[in-house]
Amino acid sequence: MTRPMKQAGSARSGDAQVDVELTVNGEAIRRSVSVRMLLSDFLRHELGLTGTHVGCEHGVCGCCTVLIDGKPGRSCLTLAVQANGYSIRTIESVAAADGTLHPVQQAFKECHGLQCGYCTPGMVMNVLGRFEEEGPLDLSDDGIRELLSGNLCRCTGYLNIVAAVRRAAELLGRS
Amino acid sequence: MKPSIFGYEAPTSLEDAIRLLAGDTDAVVLAGGQTLLPAMNFRAANPSLLVDIQHIQGLRGIAVGADGIVVKAMVRHREFELDQDVLCANPLVAEVIQHVAHVPIRTRGTVVGSLCHADPSAEIPLLLVLLGGSVIAQGPSGTREIAAEDFFQSFLTTARSHDEIVIEARFPLLPRRAGWAFDEVTRRHGDYAVVGVGCVVSLDGSGCAERVRLAACGIADRPIRLKDAEAILTGTALGISDLDAAAEASVAAVTQPDDINVSQSYRRRALGALIRRMVVKAAQRAGSAQHAESVA
């Protein structure tokens, strides 16, 4: 198969910048960003929202999970430019302004669903997104483990995290 | 920065997107990016230009009609999984998609993107081959329909030309009263399949298999229809000896060599086991309790 010759000038040496407008935790944000900046780095480095953690940076660990237009997604597998026009929610928006924990956070605290806490922001955002999704929620052990299957924890062994999700469902009247 | 330097365009028309692809042989289409971005983060993929198609009009939505399900290019796995009309028209879809990665990946990754990436272990390409679906590709000279069995050519290689964009995939409905099944062997839930098998069975009035379709992923350089097994099973009562013969006839379809996960002989045994289980499960769903007893 013949392909057209690569045009002179298509080789890129500079880091292209693009203007993006998005909403982060309810606040309208305008920035000029490098097109290769990941959303996770944008949140942490540009906006100082370091609650979104970065683990593997290839979509496996789930630490960087945020809500992208209300749905849990990997901020390390999303470019900041792809989020142009979107609404992003991070862990910083979850507790009330006076510090009162959200029921999902409260449940993780009550059930000791964390030790070092590194994976917890991603866990909370994933669980929150699934609780806010329409449709039935499978709160059997298998269902909760399926819900959590995209988030790795290297401390707790998951028993308390599963308990925390069930407790969160009780607190939110979803059980 | 994780990825190497690249250019980025977000065209709002298909024509502009196709022009951008035609003008740069190292340009790559960006839809959900759930496979492309990890590869770029590892710098295993270094495209010169990303053509982000998410802002193009007309690439969203699922349409369920009498002649099939049309899935547009920007439809995410999770939308396809949860669509109630799809669930009624073809419940195999949800059963397959639940094996694709995890929900936070499925909310971003697209169905058509998975087809175009053409990983031979991936579930969505198998689904298209199993059902006998097709894709519509649009390029500088217009659109063309490519049947699933012609589309997947080799590892990560499809019949799509560099300057074409697959604008939709067409998944046929299940035949009336057909039973279906899909399952896979993986090291961990959410991984690509070591071996995956999908099956659709229709039974006649006497409980014999009137029509059998079988396909597998993870066994070769592309998703494979297991036509020898289909031929062996068609017209039979799907008894143990029929299932054994179908499994035996499929051994040669496994061409994937030993790899970091499993040996080729393991894949062959797993394929046989999955064929037996999936045919039985599909037949049970097709309404043959009598047959289920005979193999139990």
Side-chain angles (χ1 to χ4, degrees):
Chain A
M1 184 167 64
T2 56
R3 285 179 168 175
M5 291 289 288
K6 193 170 169 179
Q7 291 173 353
S10 69
R12 288 163 205 279
S13 53
D15 213 359
Q17 299 273 318
V18 169
D19 291 335
V20 295
E21 287 186 43
L22 65 164
T23 306
V24 178
N25 298 337
E27 188 184 339
I29 305 282
R30 280 188 75 160
R31 283 283 198 292
S32 178
V33 297
S34 163
V35 296
R36 60 197 182 116
M37 178 170 275
L38 303 173
L39 178 61
S40 49
D41 289 342
F42 178 75
L43 294 169
R44 292 175 56 84
H45 302 168
E46 294 288 315
L47 305 184
L49 297 171
T50 54
T52 297
H53 290 171
V54 170
C56 69
E57 298 193 277
H58 61 279
V60 174
C61 76
C63 283
C64 70
T65 304
V66 297
L67 298 187
I68 302 172
D69 274 358
K71 298 185 180 71
R74 302 282 202 247
S75 60
C76 79
L77 297 189
T78 306
L79 297 167
V81 287
Q82 280 181 286
N84 198 5
Y86 283 69
S87 174
I88 308 295
R89 272 190 76 189
T90 70
I91 189 70
E92 285 85 351
S93 72
V94 176
D98 66 358
T100 306
L101 295 180
H102 183 279
V104 174
Q105 295 171 306
Q106 183 63 33
F108 270 74
K109 182 183 172 186
E110 284 178 19
C111 299
H112 304 284
L114 65 154
Q115 279 184 36
C116 86
Y118 198 83
C119 67
T120 311
M123 294 265 183
V124 169
M125 297 315 288
N126 182 26
V127 171
L128 197 63
R130 296 292 291 281
F131 277 20
E132 290 177 356
E133 191 177 64
E134 282 174 32
L137 206 54
D138 180 357
L139 292 169
S140 66
D141 265 17
D142 282 353
I144 292 174
R145 284 174 184 274
E146 153 69 25
L147 191 158
L148 292 167
S149 64
N151 291 81
L152 298 183
C153 169
R154 286 293 177 252
C155 298
T156 67
Y158 302 104
L159 279 174
N160 290 351
I161 300 173
V162 172
V165 174
R166 187 165 289 121
R167 176 68 182 138
E170 285 169 16
L171 292 173
L172 289 164
R174 289 293 303 266
S175 51
Chain B
M1 302 276 182
K2 295 290 281 185
S4 58
I5 286 174
F6 58 86
Y8 173 86
E9 297 284 350
T12 52
S13 80
L14 209 46
E15 291 69 25
D16 286 346
I18 291 164
R19 211 171 295 124
L20 286 163
L21 290 175
D24 185 341
T25 52
D26 290 329
V28 168
V29 174
L30 172 65
Q34 299 301 287
T35 308
L36 179 59
L37 278 167
M40 290 174 65
N41 284 354
F42 278 122
R43 303 203 176 190
N46 297 294
S48 60
L49 175 69
L50 291 186
V51 180
D52 185 349
I53 61 170
Q54 70 170 329
H55 300 293
I56 296 172
Q57 297 288 314
L59 295 187
R60 293 189 185 265
I62 299 168
V64 180
D67 50 356
I69 303 166
V70 174
V71 179
K72 295 286 187 180
M74 279 307 301
V75 171
R76 320 273 179 182
H77 293 301
R78 189 71 171 155
E79 287 173 66
F80 199 25
E81 177 185 351
L82 296 180
D83 189 290
Q84 288 304 306
D85 293 337
V86 171
L87 198 63
C88 291
N90 193 334
L92 177 62
V93 170
E95 183 151 307
V96 169
I97 292 193
Q98 282 159 20
H99 294 269
V100 177
H102 308 286
V103 167
I105 303 283
R106 298 206 290 272
T107 61
R108 299 286 303 153
T110 64
V111 174
V112 169
S114 176
L115 295 173
C116 291
H117 180 61
D119 190 301
S121 301
E123 294 85 359
I124 303 290
L126 172 139
L127 180 65
L128 196 74
V129 166
L130 174 62
L131 295 171
S134 63
V135 300
I136 306 293
Q138 184 165 338
S141 51
T143 61
R144 61 182 178 131
E145 182 167 8
I146 309 169
E149 290 189 58
D150 300 325
F151 185 66
F152 300 107
Q153 297 193 332
S154 185
F155 291 103
L156 313 183
T157 305
T158 68
R160 182 182 73 89
S161 299
H162 172 73
D163 55 2
E164 286 181 311
I165 293 175
V166 173
I167 56 171
E168 66 185 47
R170 297 180 175 180
F171 293 88
L173 307 181
L174 285 185
R176 198 175 284 271
R177 292 190 302 277
W180 73 95
F182 173 85
D183 203 356
E184 64 185 26
V185 173
T186 48
R187 299 297 294 252
R188 291 167 299 258
H189 175 71
D191 282 9
Y192 280 108
V194 169
V195 179
V197 170
C199 183
V200 179
V201 172
S202 303
L203 301 176
D204 65 18
S206 64
C208 288
E210 196 169 62
R211 181 177 176 276
V212 179
R213 277 184 82 107
L214 272 166
C217 61
I219 63 168
D221 64 351
R222 73 197 82 175
I224 299 285
R225 269 274 300 280
L226 301 168
K227 291 182 181 174
D228 290 344
E230 291 175 0
I232 287 168
L233 293 169
T234 302
T236 73
L238 303 176
I240 292 172
S241 60
D242 304 317
L243 296 172
D244 286 345
E248 185 59 34
S250 303
V251 164
V254 180
T255 54
Q256 178 75 354
D258 297 357
D259 66 18
I260 191 170
N261 289 313
V262 297
S263 64
Q264 187 180 63
S265 63
Y266 181 96
R267 273 203 164 80
R268 289 182 164 159
R269 290 180 60 187
L271 176 68
L274 283 170
I275 288 171
R276 290 183 185 91
R277 280 186 225 154
M278 292 308 102
V279 171
V280 169
K281 191 171 179 184
Q284 283 172 342
R285 283 174 164 163
S288 176
Q290 183 186 357
H291 161 72
E293 282 162 23
S294 73
V295 295

